[in-house]
Amino acid sequence: MRFLAIALLLGAFLGAKTPPALLDIAQKIQTTMATATATTSPEDDLSSDDAVINSLPTIQKLGLEFFNQVPPLQEFNPRDEQEAHFVGWLKNFEMLHLFALIAGYTADPDKKPPLSQVINDYLKVLDFIYGPLIEAHKQGLDLNAYIKALRTLPSDPKSWDDTVHYFTANRQVKPKPMLPVQAFFKDFKIVELAYRLIKGGDTQALLGELLSWGYANTYAINNLGFESNGGDAVDTKDYQKLYAPYYAQYGVRLAEFLYESYYYTFDDPLSRPQLNIPTLQKHPQLCFKPKYLRQKFKQACLDILQKGTYKTQTIEDYFKIIGYLQTIPLVNVDNSPCLAHNAQGKLQKFKSKNPFCVALQNGL
């Protein structure tokens, strides 16, 4: 019942409508930004504009109010001071993304997509990036050990430039809704937005959101002590240095989603080459996202995980070969936590009703 309740909560949270309380706060932030920038032009330096600077305490207060009401983050309850520090800084980090998105919407004369979609898409990003971690933490994950693992991982989003470009260039323009790979390309748009949030720079996501960093950078310069890189610009590397664990968290989730995922595009009767069972045996991590596979390959994945018919002796050997558990400190199956290394270096198995996760756990 507990997992059903969580699923229903997330289903409602990620539904078509943005939670009214969060949309109301976002609208207040947008109104504040619009008022402060009413007499500015896109080329102006916001960091020296008195109206913008005077608005920063207001948008900071509203930003904290926003994140304190995001449902998954409300369940991220720290157990000690170090965990509380991580959760608090997470909200400060994500506030920059929220401001960049709302400022982009404010600067867009067409106001498309509408603010409700901008916020809803961003909430989906938050759920994708942090949802499995929060659930694992609720089930006993040692967050401090996890943070320690994050600090050893790369945090530069540029490492995913080529992969994101590949899926952007090769996404199916004419949808084939009968194929599960369409679910992959739908989710890819959320992942692409997440990628653009940490890549930095004024840009536009596939979903349509504009990102404008002038306001967020001005907030960082005036309220967080960042140095100006010329006007209202902040060097992305400065953000990466201060918020390294959070960039690494984004990187981990990008890795889980994108690593060798081009194989899902081969699960198409018209594809050349086509996906086959030997490929799944050679790359069993494809079975960790079974919703992107047709039924016959889902069944093949269950057989592979249950019977241990990998190309290596055991799934642990496979993990060692590709360094999966070193790169992915929390292994998720269909965005639900399944495995992690605990503080003692031993595998921790999380409660799951997902048959693919259960099969994976039983094979260890």
Side-chain angles (χ1 to χ4, degrees), residues 89-156:
W89 276 62
L90 183 158
K91 294 176 181 179
N92 288 332
F93 171 65
E94 288 299 339
M95 205 179 301
L96 297 170
H97 296 159
L98 178 66
F99 292 165
L101 283 166
I102 295 179
Y105 171 82
T106 302
D108 182 7
D110 296 325
K111 298 294 184 284
K112 292 182 179 179
L115 185 60
S116 58
Q117 181 184 325
V118 172
I119 298 304
N120 207 41
D121 289 343
Y122 177 54
L123 293 175
K124 291 178 182 179
V125 169
L126 291 177
D127 184 66
F128 170 74
I129 297 297
Y130 301 111
L133 173 60
I134 293 170
E135 177 56 32
H137 181 253
K138 288 163 61 178
Q139 290 196 44
L141 175 75
D142 186 332
L143 185 58
N144 292 325
Y146 182 83
I147 296 169
K148 184 177 180 180
L150 284 181
R151 293 188 182 280
T152 67
L153 300 177
S155 58
D156 190 348

Side-chain angles (χ1 to χ4, degrees), residues 296-362:
K296 68 175 183 178
F297 290 125
K298 289 181 181 179
Q299 186 57 53
C301 277
L302 276 178
D303 291 341
I304 290 169
L305 295 174
Q306 288 171 344
K307 299 175 183 178
T309 55
Y310 327 105
K311 288 297 184 181
T312 51
Q313 288 184 339
T314 68
I315 194 70
E316 283 189 284
D317 290 335
Y318 172 76
F319 282 154
K320 291 176 183 177
I321 290 171
I322 66 170
Y324 198 80
L325 280 174
Q326 282 68 47
T327 306
I328 311 292
L330 173 62
V331 176
N332 302 291
V333 175
D334 272 346
N335 289 330
S336 295
C338 190
L339 296 170
H341 271 138
N342 61 22
Q344 290 72 42
K346 296 182 179 180
L347 278 179
Q348 179 178 357
K349 301 177 182 180
F350 298 101
K351 294 179 182 178
S352 177
K353 293 183 179 180
N354 185 301
F356 298 89
C357 174
V358 173
L360 174 62
Q361 291 175 342
N362 290 341

Side-chain angles (χ1 to χ4, degrees), residues 16-69:
K17 293 184 178 180
T18 306
L22 294 178
L23 181 56
D24 180 63
I25 297 170
Q27 288 171 334
K28 290 178 180 177
I29 295 174
Q30 193 275 325
T31 299
T32 302
M33 288 183 173
T35 301
T37 57
T39 60
T40 64
S41 64
E43 298 79 20
D44 288 346
D45 174 11
L46 298 186
S47 67
S48 61
D49 187 281
D50 289 340
V52 171
I53 293 173
N54 291 337
S55 73
L56 297 180
T58 299
I59 67 167
Q60 180 184 38
K61 180 180 178 181
L62 290 169
L64 286 173
E65 185 180 345
F66 180 93
F67 288 105
N68 286 337
Q69 294 190 44

Side-chain angles (χ1 to χ4, degrees), residues 40-338:
T40 64
S41 64
E43 298 79 20
D44 288 346
D45 174 11
L46 298 186
S47 67
S48 61
D49 187 281
D50 289 340
V52 171
I53 293 173
N54 291 337
S55 73
L56 297 180
T58 299
I59 67 167
Q60 180 184 38
K61 180 180 178 181
L62 290 169
L64 286 173
E65 185 180 345
F66 180 93
F67 288 105
N68 286 337
Q69 294 190 44
V70 172
L73 294 182
Q74 287 180 317
E75 299 188 5
F76 207 176
N77 298 315
R79 302 188 184 99
D80 57 38
E81 186 175 341
Q82 188 174 350
E83 290 191 358
H85 179 81
F86 179 83
V87 175
W89 276 62
L90 183 158
K91 294 176 181 179
N92 288 332
F93 171 65
E94 288 299 339
M95 205 179 301
L96 297 170
H97 296 159
L98 178 66
F99 292 165
L101 283 166
I102 295 179
Y105 171 82
T106 302
D108 182 7
D110 296 325
K111 298 294 184 284
K112 292 182 179 179
L115 185 60
S116 58
Q117 181 184 325
V118 172
I119 298 304
N120 207 41
D121 289 343
Y122 177 54
L123 293 175
K124 291 178 182 179
V125 169
L126 291 177
D127 184 66
F128 170 74
I129 297 297
Y130 301 111
L133 173 60
I134 293 170
E135 177 56 32
H137 181 253
K138 288 163 61 178
Q139 290 196 44
L141 175 75
D142 186 332
L143 185 58
N144 292 325
Y146 182 83
I147 296 169
K148 184 177 180 180
L150 284 181
R151 293 188 182 280
T152 67
L153 300 177
S155 58
D156 190 348
K158 288 183 179 180
S159 60
W160 293 105
D161 285 356
D162 291 343
T163 306
V164 171
H165 176 74
Y166 171 84
F167 286 115
T168 300
N170 291 278
R171 69 187 191 279
Q172 295 177 352
V173 179
K174 295 182 179 180
K176 301 175 183 177
M178 73 294 296
L179 296 177
V181 71
Q182 282 305 307
F184 171 83
F185 282 109
K186 181 179 179 181
D187 290 345
F188 171 72
K189 293 179 181 179
I190 295 297
V191 175
E192 192 261 356
L193 175 57
Y195 158 79
R196 290 194 178 277
L197 286 171
I198 59 169
K199 185 173 173 61
D202 293 354
T203 185
Q204 185 171 21
L206 287 175
L207 287 165
E209 285 87 356
L210 291 175
L211 288 166
S212 179
W213 278 88
Y215 226 113
N217 290 339
T218 298
Y219 168 76
I221 293 167
N222 285 271
N223 289 46
L224 303 179
F226 280 87
E227 291 187 7
S228 168
N229 193 33
D232 59 15
V234 173
D235 192 332
T236 302
K237 291 182 180 178
D238 290 340
Y239 283 139
Q240 292 173 11
K241 183 177 180 180
L242 183 64
Y243 295 115
Y246 308 99
Y247 276 89
Q249 174 64 19
Y250 268 73
V252 162
R253 295 295 286 137
L254 288 174
E256 278 197 282
F257 185 86
L258 295 172
Y259 179 68
E260 293 190 338
S261 287
Y262 53 84
Y263 283 112
Y264 294 119
T265 66
F266 300 160
D267 187 10
D268 181 340
L270 301 180
S271 173
R272 295 294 183 273
Q274 287 194 22
L275 185 65
N276 53 35
I277 293 176
T279 298
L280 294 175
Q281 291 175 315
K282 188 176 180 180
H283 306 278
Q285 86 281 355
L286 296 172
C287 295
F288 300 168
K289 298 188 287 290
K291 68 177 181 177
Y292 302 142
L293 295 170
R294 283 183 291 165
Q295 185 58 42
K296 68 175 183 178
F297 290 125
K298 289 181 181 179
Q299 186 57 53
C301 277
L302 276 178
D303 291 341
I304 290 169
L305 295 174
Q306 288 171 344
K307 299 175 183 178
T309 55
Y310 327 105
K311 288 297 184 181
T312 51
Q313 288 184 339
T314 68
I315 194 70
E316 283 189 284
D317 290 335
Y318 172 76
F319 282 154
K320 291 176 183 177
I321 290 171
I322 66 170
Y324 198 80
L325 280 174
Q326 282 68 47
T327 306
I328 311 292
L330 173 62
V331 176
N332 302 291
V333 175
D334 272 346
N335 289 330
S336 295
C338 190

